[in-house]
C-alpha cells in the first residue's frame, strides 16, 4: 500500500470519526433531553463529554495533519481554492465546536445537580441546551460542505 493510500485512508477515517461522533452525540443528547429526566440526561451528557474528548478532540488534531501530509504527498498545492475553503470551513466548525464542548460540560453538571437534588432540570439548562442545538446546525452543514469539497475538488479561484 502506497503512502498516499495510507494517508487518504487516515484522512477519510478521521473525517468519518468527526462527522459520525458529532451526529451520534447530537442524537443521543437530544433523545436524553426529551425524557426530561435529570438522571438520564446526566448519564448521557457524561458519556457525550467523554466521547467528545476521546474521539472528536483526537480527530480534530489529526485531521489537518493528515490532510496536509496527503496534499504534500499527492502534490496538491495548498493554495488550491477547495483546500483553502475547506480550511476556512474547518475553522468555522471549530468556532462552533469549542463553545459546544463547554456547554456540554455545563449541561452535564446542571443535570447531575438536578438529579442529586431529585429536582427537575432548571430553566437555565434549557436555555443553554437551545444554544447547543443552534450551534450544531452550522457546524453540521460546514462539515457536509467540506466532504463535498474533498470529493469534488472544484476549481474555485
Amino acid at each position: 500500500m502506497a503512502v498516499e493510500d495510507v494517508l487518504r485512508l487516515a484522512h477519510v477515517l478521521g473525517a468519518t470519526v468527526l462527522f459520525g461522533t458529532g451526529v451520534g452525540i447530537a442524537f443521543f443528547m437530544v433523545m436524553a433531553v426529551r425524557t426530561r429526566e435529570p438522571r438520564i440526561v446526566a448519564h448521557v451528557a457524561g458519556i457525550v463529554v467523554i466521547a467528545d474528548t476521546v474521539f472528536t478532540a483526537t480527530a480534530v488534531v489529526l485531521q489537518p495533519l493528515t490532510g496536509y501530509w496527503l496534499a504534500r504527498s499527492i502534490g496538491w498545492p495548498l493554495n488550491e481554492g477547495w483546500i483553502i475553503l475547506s480550511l476556512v470551513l474547518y475553522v468555522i466548525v471549530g468556532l462552533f465546536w469549542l463553545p459546544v464542548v463547554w456547554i456540554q460540560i455545563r449541561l452535564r453538571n446542571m443535570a447531575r445537580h438536578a438529579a442529586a437534588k431529585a429536582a427537575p432540570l432548571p430553566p437555565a439548562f434549557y436555555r443553554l441546551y437551545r444554544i447547543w442545538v443552534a450551534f450544531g446546525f452550522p457546524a453540521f452543514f460546514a462539515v457536509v460542505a467540506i466532504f463535498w469539497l474533498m470529493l469534488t475538488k472544484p476549481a474555485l479561484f
Side-chain angles (χ1 to χ4, degrees):
M1 186 180 279
V3 171
E4 287 130 20
D5 294 332
V6 172
L7 289 170
R8 192 180 315 262
L9 177 62
H11 196 64
V12 169
L13 287 174
T16 304
V17 167
L18 280 173
F19 189 74
T21 303
V23 170
I25 281 171
F27 175 78
F28 289 112
M29 190 70 161
V30 167
M31 297 308 290
V33 171
R34 285 176 49 127
T35 69
R36 297 188 169 278
E37 291 290 334
R39 284 183 321 116
I40 292 171
V41 175
H43 178 72
V44 172
I47 292 169
V48 160
V49 169
I50 292 168
D52 238 0
T53 302
V54 173
F55 298 108
T56 310
T58 302
V60 162
V61 171
L62 293 177
Q63 198 61 13
L65 295 174
T66 60
Y68 173 79
W69 294 328
L70 179 60
R72 301 311 308 157
S73 176
I74 291 174
W76 288 325
L78 295 176
N79 62 354
E80 288 275 339
W82 69 271
I83 292 176
I84 292 169
L85 184 53
S86 293
L87 291 170
V88 167
L89 289 169
Y90 194 76
V91 169
I92 289 169
V93 170
L95 291 174
F96 281 99
W97 176 69
L98 287 172
V100 160
V101 172
W102 176 83
I103 290 170
Q104 288 169 176
I105 292 167
R106 295 272 301 132
L107 293 174
R108 178 201 64 195
N109 293 348
M110 282 192 257
R112 284 179 176 172
H113 182 73
K117 301 280 187 197
L121 295 167
F125 176 93
Y126 292 103
R127 282 192 299 276
L128 206 50
Y129 172 72
R130 283 191 294 277
I131 294 168
W132 180 85
V133 169
F135 275 33
F137 284 101
F140 173 83
F141 289 113
V143 172
V144 170
I146 293 168
F147 272 111
W148 181 81
L149 289 165
M150 287 191 314
L151 292 171
T152 62
K153 298 170 192 59
L156 298 174
F157 37 86

